Amino acid sequence: MIGRAPVTLPDHGWATPEVEVSYEGPGPQRRLTIAFRIVLALPHLVYATLVTIAALVAVGAGWFAALALRRLPVGVADFLARVVQYLARVSAYAYLLLTDRYPPFDLGRDDYAVTVGAPRGVRLNRAAVLFRIILLIPAGIVVQLIGYGLFVVVLVAWLLALMMGRLPVPLFEAFAAVLRYETRYYAYAALLTSEYPRGLFGDRPSAPVPPYQPPYPPPPPPTYAAPDGSPLGPPVASDLPPAPAPSAMAPPPPRIRTLLLSTSAKVIIGVILALGAVFWIGLNVVAALVSESDTAERLQESYVVLSTERQRHSRETQRCAVSGGIPCLQGADARLAGAVQGFQTDLRALEFTDASIDEAEQLDRDATDLILVLRRMASTGEPERYEQLVAEFQSLANTFDADFQRLIDVVDL
């Protein structure tokens, strides 16, 4: 269930670090707006992107100020708090279907179905500010898992809301808790609060308040006397004047500030996290497979270029042996050394998995040995020494080809 009890915040001079997210509560929604919700939200999605860019600049400036002042400047904190609230409203309307009311573009408007009470003037710890990016990693992983898992759950919620004309209460509870956690994460990242994101699975119920016991017995009910002086009992309902009609300007129902989630809502949040983990693992596996395929393709292309240069080198050395002599051979050897170095540069630019990194490093060493022996061949002027280097080159080239094939076999697995 969703608790509607108000939250009383203490006053300690500094602002309290708690980020409060309040909701109007689940209610009927128009099926037409549900059907075209993303289309209707497109202007807000574009505006949210621009506002987020401005907020990132403000966070960068505020980070330096917070290190010096132990708090954000008032103007920066006010702007970032309004941005965090606006982004929460866009998510509540566009994706999570928590409300049917179109969000205002005015960042300062407070009369909306979702309101974020982000604090201003919170006292910050300088060490926590300095290492804020590192501290954000655990909560950031949770937020990322939520984002992945919502892909599936939001689609199911959209279909249910389209059929029922409202979001089912367990889904409303789960989405409200998810939105609150994400909002607290962004407020923490923006240095608006020193309180780490919490409450993904709702709030704990507060201790029950004992019934009031008066210090003395209640007085007896009043008695009434008839015209003749005989006592009468308490008046009956028919003798009382009619109760006044309720005012047409009745106050709105209290906003939801405390989330006491039902078991169904907690299960939905668990499903979101589980789906997010599965989706995340699947993306990494697909990315690794695509990367390996791309690596093998680029590696083979670079090897083809090198093989073409080696064939050209073989033809040039045969021609030089007939008419060019040592200087002609040295020029051909220098050009082949450059081609091998180009292959090595391409090899080092590729990404290899743990299964193929050893073979890639071995091929890199082979390329280094080939470059060294070719440069010696290009610089020596002694025929006997040159013949020795040619034999060494042939042996290294055979090893290079074998190690290249071994790397390709491992990458293609």
Side-chain angles (χ1 to χ4, degrees):
M1 69 178 171
I2 302 177
R4 294 177 180 266
V7 176
T8 303
L9 303 181
D11 184 9
H12 301 301
W14 293 84
T16 177
E18 181 173 348
V19 177
E20 181 186 274
V21 184
S22 62
Y23 307 89
E24 281 187 348
Q29 301 187 33
R30 293 164 292 177
R31 289 184 174 86
L32 185 62
T33 63
I34 295 174
F36 298 98
R37 185 61 56 91
I38 291 297
V39 177
L40 295 172
L42 281 178
H44 279 287
L45 297 178
V46 174
Y47 185 52
T49 301
L50 299 177
V51 169
T52 301
I53 294 173
L56 291 175
V57 176
V59 170
W63 184 81
F64 290 99
L67 282 178
L69 305 175
R70 300 184 65 184
R71 66 191 302 170
L72 284 177
V74 176
V76 175
D78 186 66
F79 171 71
L80 291 175
R82 294 175 186 273
V83 170
V84 169
Q85 176 175 255
Y86 175 72
L87 296 179
R89 290 174 171 179
V90 172
S91 296
Y93 176 79
Y95 307 118
L96 302 178
L97 304 176
L98 292 176
T99 179
D100 195 27
R101 292 174 55 188
Y102 200 73
F105 286 93
D106 184 0
L107 301 184
R109 288 275 298 277
D110 292 329
D111 54 336
Y112 186 67
V114 177
T115 302
V116 178
R120 278 81 158 169
V122 173
R123 186 174 185 176
L124 301 173
N125 182 285
R126 288 191 176 95
V129 173
L130 182 63
F131 298 103
R132 184 58 56 101
I133 293 180
I134 298 176
L135 295 174
L136 280 169
I137 292 176
I141 293 174
V142 175
V143 169
Q144 192 169 21
L145 291 179
I146 290 172
Y148 288 147
L150 282 175
F151 277 121
V152 178
V153 179
V154 164
L155 178 59
V156 175
W158 179 79
L159 293 173
L160 290 175
L162 194 60
M163 291 185 294
M164 299 173 58
R166 63 187 302 146
L167 192 66
V169 172
L171 282 170
F172 182 92
E173 293 178 351
F175 288 172
V178 164
L179 179 62
R180 187 180 65 172
Y181 185 87
E182 291 181 337
T183 301
R184 288 175 171 175
Y185 169 78
Y186 293 125
Y188 184 76
L191 304 174
L192 287 170
T193 178
S194 59
E195 186 178 74
Y196 205 73
R198 61 177 179 82
L200 177 59
F201 286 90
D203 300 317
R204 294 181 179 179
S206 57
V209 179
Y212 175 73
Q213 298 291 338
Y216 48 83
T223 59
Y224 301 88
D228 59 0
S230 60
L232 295 175
V236 296
S238 59
D239 298 330
L240 297 176
S247 172
M249 299 298 293
R255 296 178 67 88
I256 299 171
R257 302 178 186 275
T258 303
L259 298 178
L260 304 178
L261 302 187
S262 63
T263 302
S264 300
K266 293 179 180 180
V267 170
I268 292 173
I269 295 176
V271 170
I272 291 173
L273 292 174
L275 289 175
V278 172
F279 196 81
W280 193 1
I281 293 172
L283 280 180
N284 289 332
V285 170
V286 171
L289 293 176
V290 172
S291 176
E292 284 289 288
S293 176
D294 182 65
T295 296
E297 183 178 350
R298 292 172 59 186
L299 187 62
Q300 288 177 334
E301 289 176 355
S302 183
Y303 185 77
V304 169
V305 173
L306 178 59
S307 298
T308 302
E309 291 298 323
R310 288 173 61 179
Q311 294 173 2
R312 177 183 176 186
H313 175 266
S314 178
R315 293 192 299 268
E316 287 184 352
T317 54
Q318 292 176 4
R319 185 172 62 253
C320 292
V322 175
S323 59
I326 292 294
C328 179
L329 293 171
Q330 290 175 336
D333 296 336
R335 285 189 291 273
L336 183 58
V340 177
Q341 189 169 13
F343 174 86
Q344 187 180 51
T345 300
D346 294 341
L347 176 68
R348 292 176 176 178
L350 298 176
E351 295 184 0
F352 296 92
T353 62
D354 294 339
S356 58
I357 189 64
D358 292 339
E359 285 76 9
E361 290 177 350
Q362 179 59 50
L363 187 61
D364 181 77
R365 290 191 291 269
D366 294 344
T368 299
D369 293 340
L370 276 176
I371 293 170
L372 291 176
V373 73
L374 284 168
R375 287 177 176 173
R376 293 193 191 102
M377 291 168 60
S379 61
T380 184
E382 302 177 5
E384 294 182 358
R385 176 59 179 164
Y386 186 85
E387 292 295 332
Q388 294 174 356
L389 292 173
V390 168
E392 184 178 353
F393 167 75
Q394 294 294 341
S395 176
L396 290 174
N398 293 334
T399 302
F400 177 87
D401 292 338
D403 290 340
F404 171 81
Q405 188 59 50
R406 187 177 298 108
L407 174 60
I408 289 295
D409 294 338
V410 174
V411 171
D412 283 342
L413 288 178

